Amino acid sequence: MRVVIAEDSVLLREGLTRLLTDRGHEVVAGVGDGEALIKTITELHDQGALPDVVVADVRMPPTHTDEGVRAAVQLRKAHPQLGVLVLSQYVEERYATELLAGSSRGVGYLLKDRVAEVREFVDAVVRVAQGGTALDPEVVAQLLGRSRKQDVLAGLTPREREVLGLMAEGRTNSAIARQLVVSDGAVEKHVSNIFLKLGLSQSDGDHRRVLAVLTYLNS
């Protein structure tokens, strides 16, 4: 896996680099601001060496507000095949929904505290690089709390909401089954019910899972 890291804290940037390289991944570049990130990705793309994933801080210089996430959104539009995982100190719903507005494929949003859980963090980076989704449980919990107030999900049972929340974290049916200590068949039934209640027909094919997650996040 080839990674570019965008983080203005040199200490954290070097730490992330060490975590990934120690596990056999290649960090091809490390930058400290959004402008440098976009320039680096553009140059790598022109060389035919686009990385698999970018790991970027939400807040970077010069204003330390939303430079990182704005660069991430711009890169996702320019390079849809590029995985983007953003890191944030706190749950910021606006940034999470902005990042996920186009598609949840190859996207992640984690709190920085999650980096300390090394295996989970590296697994999340790999999942995003492979086109999956990685959302911090804290982000999902906050978005779920908001979504419970919305009519669009009112028809879901508490268990179905829980399954949908785990889907939003990027979990597979098997992983959800292990988390909830139920059978794969039970999870499949819950997922089918979610699709039915959200009005997602079989004609939507494999996109139904993405559409369900986006419905959940945008509600």
Side-chain angles (χ1 to χ4, degrees):
M1 182 176 66
R2 300 175 68 253
V3 188
V4 169
I5 297 175
E7 166 60 57
D8 61 298
S9 166
V10 175
L11 183 61
L12 180 53
R13 188 166 71 234
E14 292 301 318
L16 293 174
T17 299
R18 181 67 180 272
L19 286 179
L20 293 166
T21 55
D22 281 355
R23 283 153 185 81
H25 304 297
E26 180 185 2
V27 176
V28 296
V31 299
D33 60 73
E35 184 177 341
L37 172 59
I38 292 173
K39 180 180 178 181
T40 297
I41 295 300
T42 300
E43 291 175 349
L44 289 171
H45 176 263
D46 291 345
Q47 296 166 13
L50 192 71
D52 299 299
V53 61
V54 166
V55 178
D57 191 355
V58 165
R59 299 171 180 262
M60 288 195 291
T63 68
H64 292 279
T65 54
D66 62 353
E67 283 84 358
V69 75
R70 284 195 288 108
V73 170
Q74 183 175 333
L75 288 173
R76 279 177 58 74
K77 290 179 179 178
H79 310 287
Q81 71 274 38
L82 176 68
V84 174
L85 173 64
V86 299
L87 302 177
S88 179
Q89 193 69 41
Y90 309 103
V91 178
E92 300 178 90
E93 290 183 29
R94 178 169 64 88
Y95 296 152
T97 53
E98 183 177 1
L99 187 66
L100 289 157
S103 168
S104 63
R105 187 182 187 281
V107 64
Y109 187 110
L110 296 181
L111 296 185
K112 286 187 174 180
D113 288 347
R114 199 66 54 188
V115 176
E117 300 171 16
V118 176
R119 182 175 178 180
E120 288 189 20
F121 169 71
V122 175
D123 285 349
V125 178
V126 172
R127 190 158 68 245
V128 170
Q130 295 175 342
T133 305
L135 296 180
D136 196 287
E138 295 265 341
V139 176
V140 173
Q142 184 160 318
L143 293 174
L144 180 58
R146 179 184 62 173
S147 70
R148 281 174 175 161
K149 301 175 183 178
Q150 306 298 320
D151 292 338
V152 68
L153 300 183
L156 300 184
T157 66
R159 176 63 93 181
E160 288 164 355
R161 290 196 188 100
E162 190 173 13
V163 169
L164 184 53
L166 291 170
M167 287 167 61
E169 288 180 27
R171 308 290 183 92
T172 64
N173 284 2
S174 295
I176 293 172
R178 290 193 296 271
Q179 176 76 19
L180 300 180
V181 195
V182 298
S183 68
D184 287 359
V187 173
E188 290 174 5
K189 183 176 180 180
H190 287 311
V191 172
S192 294
N193 287 339
I194 290 169
F195 291 157
L196 179 64
K197 292 179 180 181
L198 294 183
L200 301 173
S201 66
Q202 290 186 353
S203 62
D204 292 315
D206 294 337
H207 296 299
R208 287 193 297 174
R209 198 174 188 92
V210 172
L211 292 172
V213 168
L214 289 176
T215 299
Y216 161 68
L217 293 174
N218 290 328
S219 64

